[in-house]
């Protein structure tokens, strides 16, 4: 550990407590008036979808309906992935001990960390590094990608957001990129994400396709999101899954059972198509 | 404490652990295929809004677009209410100690309990009791409401979902009922909710208007939701607010400051109208 | 659901917020002075063991050294029981996703509920009911026990704190009762606990021995603890185990591994005796 | 952000899940036998204090009774510091919304982070850096301390564990060092801690005394603890305080009150001396 590394831990420590008033730029509440980033909440209700509302909260402005649709599609893409995900496993485990619903959700949320859900943010950071490098050194994105991947390899770092335990061709990734194109938000970040995929395939001699986390990271960069908020995006998406799975555990399973991840079977409705009109 | 009361605690205790496989009816995952209640996730992405996806997860079927719009409107109605709410206060407090985002969210979620967020479920239970009483005793909803409110009064119980610390005429309530009417889901539960409001006003000699929690409870009953899932609905809605507020605390405020609920001012955008077209 | 049952949910709802000052009787802090229940903390340090300090915090008075030794013995008895306990399973699962130590502990604590750890409180409630019944009806503890167990049986309630998934003769139970006798705290609650054991054996035709949770519940009643604090007692005891197990997961195991409860082997020191002098 | 910094985030990402059995060296459970680090738990019960048991779990061996007494004294020193500490504030806030006890504790634990409770670990890291520097450069601890403090100053890093919001002469620090001396564990880490105190006073022109966190960090280093476990030590110590304070909130205060940190008064027993014999 170098001084830089240990020292960096001390930056903000132990400031004197401060009792002054504080400001918020998110929500204004007065008797009979609630404004979200300035918009009366009753005007938002029924007129924006949830993706637009989340964008408004995080970025400060209402996006177009197309961008809202893209935001919502990303939320839907991560709403659930079955009982084996560590966040769901944790929520079911809590449910199994008799925990109330909010404790199950909290336990699940506490499992969304670097190694689960964190790939969105980590992939975005890698993409950002490449695009900044390209700009700083006036080189192409392709060269910058190659250089950064080589450096990572030497340092034995892995880029998050590529490859999946289960999926070879994750159906969510192409769908998400198609919706991004429809919304007109395809730029250098998505391009770089695809360059990383190609570079990793070359480097490793096998295809390591962009997974849904990597794709979301790239799209959120296109939409101007700060990387610090990206794990939060995954939490918003996954909470409905945590609740539905905890509730299923409580209502269908014996208490205190031994929960083995991956031993479940699916007994829900057979495959069926979404009817759009 | 009577035997019934203490004894009721022992119903499920200490079953033998069971190692058998289990089933889930929510999500099916196979290589390159993810089905939510049977629907391919890439078909849901871009074609349903988040409210529809949540309804699908909780109720098992895709609702109409109108019902989806109603679901989303309810989620938007509760997405944030400023820093004084105990869930947000808790999330900001964690952020102030240097907690990562998911710990802030978990701390906030742990504050969604009977006295904060719980009014949705509690109001729905009261409404259900009245509608069941009316049916069982073949009396009108108005008489059943009066009878149940009188009983509650005698027992010194309060009905949750009416009155608000800040709002006299919460703008979210009429908007929500209007959207419910548009979606064609106005039935006996919303009617009963309004009868309770009238009954409480008579009983107390002052208006105790339906607040947004009470209204959501009534609408979720109309949509067939189990009361056990209603607090979960509030969690889904509020997580974006918890994240935006935690992030604001981290980026705008001093560490370890003394956080006094209600001392904040709003310095965001001035009031503006949603442009719909 | 009867009115009583649903109504009981509304007892405390939605009180007006109150900004008045509040009192604490636990700890006084002034510049250079910290008093716990009146005792200067530097006098407690080095002079009391942790069990005494916990008793002081919860009951308001310093117990004798003997009672302190008994308190500490109970804490030690529950400090860890290996990776299969749901609280430890949850903590390890979080650790496996890259959670910081406090998130692992929080996730573990959230799994201490009615069906795990809750037997201390539930057993104590059953014991209390029997002793109150004996007093109210002027009958012997043996008759009261038989009556209550028969009622429970009819209602299909189970008494918590008896029987164990793994142990037939839990070595902690007799040790704890022996220490309680040494400390002079053997009274009607421990007696009743033993009567329940006998009654259950008769009722079920097989031995269902008092487990460590049941024994702790009985001893805490003898020490005057409120049942509401008893689950808390288990949390205090188990936190060191949660930490040691989370740390072991982080330092010995691969990230994001599939954690199957009960698949572990022990590779620590061989059995050895405590040297006392 | 340099490649090193961002890249370091990817070290362990997304390993393939692994279903193999795992080992634990902490606790062995067999029918009717529980061994902690090899010791039968019923032998530990009544023969070791809680500090010894924690040491055994974390370090693998039973310490002497003197070291156990020192461990316990450290746990007692941090058991509570009143309602204003962010962990307690968070626990009380949860209690105020109607949370069960374990959710209050979890919420409190989630507030133990770098800026609250984290000073133990951060101070230990700084001490370690100085002692390693002294060894590596064959210079005295005093010179190494001066060099490191100068570097920190240039980089605007602050050393944690010195100074206190409330106390100028924290009574816990000298008591702890006296007990460490009694236990024979006063070495270079405590010496370095005192050198930092002197160095900071010189640097800042005012006394910034070692606080209890700094002192605990130094003593835990003397006892051979890994820095990664030190925040955990604080959690163990504080859980009883979180429980007692949450319980007091629930039993003495109105629901959903506005909790303002620092507005409490103390109405417990007057100052009194610990009777030792």
């Amino acid at each position: 550990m170098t001084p830089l590394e240990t020292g960096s831990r001390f930056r903000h420590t132990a400031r004197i407590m401060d009792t002054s008033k504080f400001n918020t730029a998110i929500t204004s509440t007065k008797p009979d008036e609630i404004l979200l980033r300035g918009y009366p909440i009753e005007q938002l209700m029924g007129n924006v979808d949830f993706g637009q509302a989340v964008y408004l909260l995080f970025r400060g402005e209402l996006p177009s309906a197309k961008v809202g649709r893209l935001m919502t599609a990303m939320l839907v893409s991560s709403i659930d992935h079955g009982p084996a995900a560590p966040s769901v496993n944790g929520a079911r485990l809590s449910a199994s001990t008799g925990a109330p619903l909010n404790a199950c959700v909290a336990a699940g949320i506490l499992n969304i960390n670097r190694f689960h859900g964190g790939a969105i943010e980590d992939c975005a950071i890698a993409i950002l590094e490449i695009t900044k490098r390209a700009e700083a050194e006036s080189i192409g994105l392709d060269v910058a990608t190659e250089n950064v991947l080589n450096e990572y390899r030497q340092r034995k770092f892995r880029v998050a957001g590529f490859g999946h335990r289960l999926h070879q061709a994750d159906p969510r990734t192409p769908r998400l990129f198609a919706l991004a194109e429809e919304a007109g938000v395809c730029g250098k970040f998505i391009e770089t994400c695809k360059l990383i995929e190609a570079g990793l395939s070359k480097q490793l001699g096998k295809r390591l396709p962009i997974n849904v986390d990597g794709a979301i990271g790239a799209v959120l960069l296109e939409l101007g999101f700060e990387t610090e908020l990206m794990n939060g995006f995954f939490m918003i998406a996954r909470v409905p899954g945590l609740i539905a799975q905890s509730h299923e555990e409580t209502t269908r399973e014996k208490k205190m059972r031994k929960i083995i991840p991956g031993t479940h079977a699916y007994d829900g409705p057979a495959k069926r198509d979404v009817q759009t009109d």
Side-chain angles (χ1 to χ4, degrees), chain A:
Chain A
M1 219 155 17
T2 69
L4 179 68
E5 285 175 296
T6 65
S8 71
R9 303 180 56 94
F10 301 103
R11 245 173 312 192
H12 319 273
T13 322
R15 304 236 180 130
I16 299 309
M17 280 175 119
D18 156 11
T19 64
S20 63
K21 291 170 176 285
F22 67 106
N23 289 314
T24 179
I26 302 169
T27 301
S28 158
T29 56
K30 282 192 258 185
D32 304 336
E33 186 191 81
I34 302 163
L35 307 179
L36 286 183
R37 302 286 191 189
Y39 293 109
I41 200 160
E42 70 276 14
Q43 289 187 24
L44 295 168
M45 291 167 63
N47 285 317
V48 302
D49 67 16
F50 202 60
Q52 280 174 294
V54 169
Y55 185 104
L56 175 65
L57 238 61
F58 284 13
R59 300 272 298 115
E61 296 298 325
L62 260 186
S64 70
K66 270 188 182 168
V67 166
R69 191 170 161 239
L70 177 62
M71 286 284 297
T72 295
M74 286 191 283
L75 292 174
V76 170
S77 77
S78 301
I79 200 168
D80 195 43
H81 196 270
S87 52
V88 177
N89 192 359
R92 277 185 174 264
L93 190 56
S94 292
S96 179
T97 65
L101 198 49
N102 67 340
C104 300
V105 172
I109 290 273
L110 290 174
N111 289 357
I112 295 177
N113 289 299
R114 177 140 328 142
F115 312 127
H116 172 49
I120 298 175
E121 183 178 327
D122 281 354
C123 182
I125 289 173
I127 293 172
L128 263 188
E129 180 169 345
I130 291 169
T131 56
K132 282 180 184 166
R133 184 82 67 94
E135 205 174 333
E137 303 181 7
S138 301
I139 54 178
L141 284 172
D142 51 349
V143 179
T145 301
E146 204 181 335
N147 293 351
V148 167
L149 288 184
N150 283 338
E151 272 176 44
Y152 280 9
R153 188 174 210 183
Q154 280 178 329
R155 295 176 188 277
K156 306 205 170 163
F157 299 153
R158 300 174 70 158
V159 188
F162 299 85
H164 194 280
R165 188 175 48 80
L166 185 64
H167 307 299
Q168 254 306 304
D170 191 322
R172 297 169 292 183
T173 301
R175 177 67 176 146
L176 191 52
F177 285 152
L179 289 163
E181 201 162 335
E182 276 181 45
V185 296
C186 276
K188 65 179 175 180
F189 300 114
I190 292 176
E191 187 190 341
T192 303
C193 190
K194 290 175 177 173
L195 287 168
I196 297 175
E197 183 191 41
L200 288 174
S201 298
K202 215 171 105 188
Q203 212 182 51
L204 306 169
K206 62 165 186 174
R207 224 181 132 244
L208 208 60
I210 306 172
N211 63 36
V212 73
D213 291 336
I216 292 176
V219 174
L220 288 177
L221 281 178
E222 298 288 355
L223 296 177
F225 274 72
E226 297 169 73
T227 54
E228 286 80 6
L229 282 168
M230 291 186 185
N231 273 7
F233 189 87
F234 182 74
M235 293 173 217
I236 298 170
R238 185 52 59 93
V239 167
L242 295 177
I243 293 171
Q245 297 271 355
S246 302
H247 186 64
E248 193 180 56
E249 179 70 30
T250 300
T251 51
R252 290 187 70 174
E253 302 301 328
K254 284 195 184 158
K255 311 302 164 195
M256 291 289 284
R257 72 185 180 95
K258 190 169 170 174
I259 300 181
I260 304 180
T263 56
H264 62 279
Y266 174 73
D267 65 353
K271 192 171 174 174
R272 48 183 173 169
D273 287 321
V274 174
Q275 306 302 326
T276 56
D277 27 38

